[in-house]
């Protein structure tokens, strides 16, 4: 296994990053005691690339040009201190409605059953207005008791003068409050990674 490059998350350095558990539609989710941070988003929005960037690995989370690659809930153990949880991508048109429904129930079951889930990061493509599926997912996460942290991926694909307008459109589409968090992120430059690390560090231990 390739050696990870040490990278500070507040209070820790990444010395270990490995795929520990893979859960399918009928799987029983692990009863982890370490804090979990889940990542959701449309197929091909860049979840695997983001998770790899956070873990300082090039390909531990498999990336693909083919939408719908992630069809399981994948638990990545980081330093035996926390888990990054990769949820199945949604909005994949080449999957039957019955399979989509099963994936949806699997994700909902995870959100409701995890006792150690600290936050849900929702990824959207900064170049486009969030889709109806994105809005539904945002509202769904809210209804399950979490305030989504929005990650606007592909940040490097826009010109600097286009970014404020794109961020404004995302916030308005989701009807985000002023205090709700949106972080632009680039898998190429790693812009935004430190902000995500900081949030994970702050949320690892819940406040009393």
């Amino acid at each position: 296994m390739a050696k990870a490059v040490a990278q500070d998350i507040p209070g820790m350095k990444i010395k270990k990053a490995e795929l520990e558990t893979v859960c399918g539609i009928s799987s029983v989710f692990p009863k982890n005691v370490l804090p979990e941070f889940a990542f959701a988003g449309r197929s091909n929005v860049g979840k695997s690339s983001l998770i790899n960037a956070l873990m300082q690995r090039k390909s531990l989370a498999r990336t693909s040009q083919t939408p719908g690659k992630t069809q399981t809930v994948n638990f990545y153990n980081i330093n035996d201190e926390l888990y990054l949880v990769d949820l199945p991508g949604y909005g994949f048109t080449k999957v039957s409605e019955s399979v989509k429904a099963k994936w949806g129930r699997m994700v909902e079951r995870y959100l409701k059953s995890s006792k150690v889930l600290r936050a849900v990061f929702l990824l959207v493509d900064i170049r486009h207005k969030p889709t109806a599926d994105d809005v539904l997912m945002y509202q769904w996460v809210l209804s399950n008791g979490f305030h989504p942290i929005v990650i606007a991926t592909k940040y490097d694909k826009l010109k600097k003068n286009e970014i404020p307008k794109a961020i404004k459109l995302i916030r308005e589409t989701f009807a985000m409050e002023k205090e709700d968090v949106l972080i632009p992120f680039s898998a190429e430059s790693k812009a935004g990674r430190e902000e995500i690390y900081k949030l994970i560090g702050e949320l690892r231990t819940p406040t009393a």
Side-chain angles (χ1 to χ4, degrees), residues 63-80:
T63 60
S64 174
Q65 295 301 313
T66 305
K69 188 72 173 180
T70 304
Q71 300 178 14
T72 52
V73 178
N74 299 332
F75 294 78
Y76 294 91
N77 184 322
I78 309 299
N79 285 3
D80 294 324

Side-chain angles (χ1 to χ4, degrees), residues 101-114:
K102 288 179 181 178
W103 288 359
R105 288 194 294 271
M106 176 172 65
V107 173
E108 185 169 31
R109 183 163 58 88
Y110 165 69
L111 293 178
K112 289 183 175 179
S113 66
S114 176

Side-chain angles (χ1 to χ4, degrees), residues 94-124:
K94 294 183 180 179
V95 171
S96 69
E97 291 302 319
S98 63
V99 171
K100 288 181 187 177
K102 288 179 181 178
W103 288 359
R105 288 194 294 271
M106 176 172 65
V107 173
E108 185 169 31
R109 183 163 58 88
Y110 165 69
L111 293 178
K112 289 183 175 179
S113 66
S114 176
K115 305 296 184 185
V116 290
L117 180 59
R118 297 287 185 261
V120 178
F121 292 87
L122 177 59
L123 280 65
V124 295

Side-chain angles (χ1 to χ4, degrees), residues 20-156:
E20 183 174 286
T21 309
V22 177
C23 294
I25 289 172
S26 59
S27 300
V28 176
F29 292 120
K31 295 182 180 179
N32 293 323
V33 295
L34 301 175
E36 296 172 353
F37 296 87
F39 295 81
R42 283 178 59 81
S43 296
N44 233 20
V45 75
K47 275 193 299 92
S48 296
S49 295
L50 169 62
I51 292 171
N52 281 327
L54 294 175
M55 296 189 298
Q56 291 290 304
R57 299 293 182 91
K58 288 185 177 180
S59 58
L60 184 54
R62 289 181 299 173
T63 60
S64 174
Q65 295 301 313
T66 305
K69 188 72 173 180
T70 304
Q71 300 178 14
T72 52
V73 178
N74 299 332
F75 294 78
Y76 294 91
N77 184 322
I78 309 299
N79 285 3
D80 294 324
E81 294 185 27
L82 60 89
Y83 289 96
L84 303 183
V85 184
D86 189 5
L87 302 177
Y90 55 85
F92 183 42
T93 57
K94 294 183 180 179
V95 171
S96 69
E97 291 302 319
S98 63
V99 171
K100 288 181 187 177
K102 288 179 181 178
W103 288 359
R105 288 194 294 271
M106 176 172 65
V107 173
E108 185 169 31
R109 183 163 58 88
Y110 165 69
L111 293 178
K112 289 183 175 179
S113 66
S114 176
K115 305 296 184 185
V116 290
L117 180 59
R118 297 287 185 261
V120 178
F121 292 87
L122 177 59
L123 280 65
V124 295
D125 189 328
I126 197 170
R127 299 171 297 178
H128 309 293
K129 178 180 178 179
T131 66
D133 284 338
D134 291 326
V135 174
L136 282 174
M137 177 58 77
Y138 187 91
Q139 295 172 344
W140 192 38
V141 173
L142 279 174
S143 71
N144 278 280
F146 295 91
H147 234 76
I149 298 167
V150 176
I151 306 296
T153 64
K154 308 182 192 295
Y155 174 59
D156 54 293

Side-chain angles (χ1 to χ4, degrees), residues 163-181:
I163 292 168
K165 182 179 179 180
I167 290 175
K168 184 173 184 287
L169 179 60
I170 293 170
R171 297 188 72 94
E172 288 177 347
T173 303
F174 285 140
M176 296 174 69
E177 300 292 340
K178 186 177 180 180
E179 64 273 14
D180 292 337
V181 179

